[in-house]
Amino acid sequence: MKRFTIAMVMIVWFAAIFGLAILNLELTPTVRAQELPVLMVENPQQEGTADWTISDMTFESNYPIGFTFKIKASSSGGAITRARALWYSPLLRPSETRNIQAQEGEFDPETGLWTATWEASAIMMVPPWVELMFHWELKDAAGNSFETEPTIAEYADNTRQWTRSESDAATVFTFDLGPEVKETVLDAIAQQQPQYEAVWGAPLPRKPRVVLFGSLDAWMEWRTVDDNAEESMIIGQTFDQWNAVEQVLFGGDMDAAIRELAYSTVVHEIEHLYQAEYVWSTRDVYDIPSWFMEGDATFFELEQSYDYLGKVQEMAANDVLPPLLVDPADAPRTDGDNARDGYDIGYTFIVWLREQGGVETHHQVMKLLADDVPFFSALEQVTGMSKEEIE
Ligand SMILES: [Zn+2]
């Protein structure tokens, strides 16, 4: 019954997007994302009376430096005066409005092709092996306009030998790692899949991609926004916009590292993708403390780096537990020197929450958060306790 409710909410949301589709197609893509329903458009959109002919529409990955879109087009209304390629995540969520990119096309009279290129830079990078969606906007000399149908492309690394493995729940890419790595990762995700679906009422709308590097050089190559002069280095990043978890493994005890990656890191990070999909995409209130979201993601770890619950119980016994349901500034941190406290206390809170009514309680809280119910009210409604009693 509860699953049904979530499904209905999603259908209504998609219907709302569809309803706005035709209305907003002529708007520039900087409008709010829910008003830019390119995903729902089944046929190319056209304004004016011209007949348009499209051919040779291609996408080429130039990984690691970017990608190129090409198109050949003509209109009965006259010469084409402008062509630009728009690209975005296939999971364009309301909160991702600003992530629509536009590349102006350049015309080559010799080939008759329009070419638009995106290049990675110090302010923007796209991780390898993610899916993106694109379409072209065309205008002719008579003022007619035309939009091609949105098309899915993949930002492939064609410069190396990658392996690709897919289950019902995820797609895993590995480079320079043993053949067992992808199986281990898919196994961990498969073990948690019923749990994700029970908490969220549905799987992710597109399979997440887990992209794993066994080489630091290969990893560094695409990370154009990193400041490598810094003493610390990013060795893993989850891109909820791109529905992808990207990680590098190097040095040390590889067997232990692979286990931790699969049974702790990846299953934790995938829960963040669910949070992005089902809470952040619809929520306008930013009152959910990070300890709660990190605690929830930590709850999905199949193996713990140490005894999280034991650590928190010890803090409680020593009377050094920080207050929980207070202003985030006073609540447990998930950054800085005591960053682990927020994760461990958050984890302990989720364990307690589930003791109140199992997975159903967990699911109900997430559903209320997705519906914009204030954080403390959501907890009070589901547990039937006041904030003070919960604390
Ligand atoms: Zn996390």
Side-chain angles (χ1 to χ4, degrees), residues 268-269 272 294 297 343:
H268 173 120
E269 295 303 320
H272 284 314
E294 289 302 347
Y343 288 73

Side-chain angles (χ1 to χ4, degrees), residues 210-229:
V210 181
V211 182
L212 306 172
F213 293 76
S215 148
L216 198 52
D217 287 345
W219 169 262
M220 304 267 284
E221 193 181 40
W222 62 277
R223 299 205 52 92
T224 51
V225 308
D226 289 354
D227 176 6
N228 291 320

Side-chain angles (χ1 to χ4, degrees), residues 257-283:
I258 289 162
R259 245 203 115 68
E260 186 180 8
L261 174 81
Y263 294 98
S264 298
T265 311
V266 169
V267 282
H268 173 120
E269 295 303 320
I270 285 181
E271 176 63 359
H272 284 314
L273 296 179
Y274 278 87
Q275 294 168 351
E277 184 62 40
Y278 293 119
V279 175
W280 297 129
S281 67
T282 57
R283 193 170 176 85

Side-chain angles (χ1 to χ4, degrees), residues 100-146:
I100 300 168
Q101 305 293 322
Q103 317 300 144
E104 284 298 327
E106 277 178 34
F107 185 63
D108 178 349
E110 293 213 341
T111 59
L113 283 167
W114 287 86
T115 300
T117 298
W118 172 77
E119 283 177 13
S121 70
I123 53 166
M124 188 177 176
M125 65 187 181
V126 173
W129 294 113
V130 298
E131 290 179 302
L132 54 100
M133 197 172 240
F134 71 93
H135 70 269
W136 283 87
E137 275 182 2
L138 307 165
K139 281 195 166 46
D140 71 17
N144 300 300
S145 65
F146 185 82

Side-chain angles (χ1 to χ4, degrees), residues 315-390:
M315 288 173 84
N318 294 330
D319 213 19
V320 292
L321 263 187
L324 198 59
L325 303 182
V326 291
D327 187 88
D330 303 319
R333 311 285 304 189
T334 55
D335 57 2
D337 289 344
N338 299 320
R340 282 305 311 177
D341 286 1
Y343 288 73
D344 298 342
I345 295 168
Y347 167 77
T348 305
F349 182 81
I350 300 287
V351 170
W352 173 83
L353 191 64
R354 291 178 67 115
E355 282 167 2
Q356 308 312 302
V359 63
E360 188 56 26
T361 306
H362 196 167
H363 170 63
Q364 286 301 326
V365 170
M366 293 313 194
K367 195 160 124 34
L368 292 178
L369 295 179
D371 288 345
D372 250 350
V373 174
F375 178 63
F376 293 149
S377 308
L379 296 180
E380 290 177 337
Q381 275 187 46
V382 172
T383 62
M385 293 181 212
S386 73
K387 196 173 87 155
E388 290 68 29
E389 287 170 315
I390 296 172

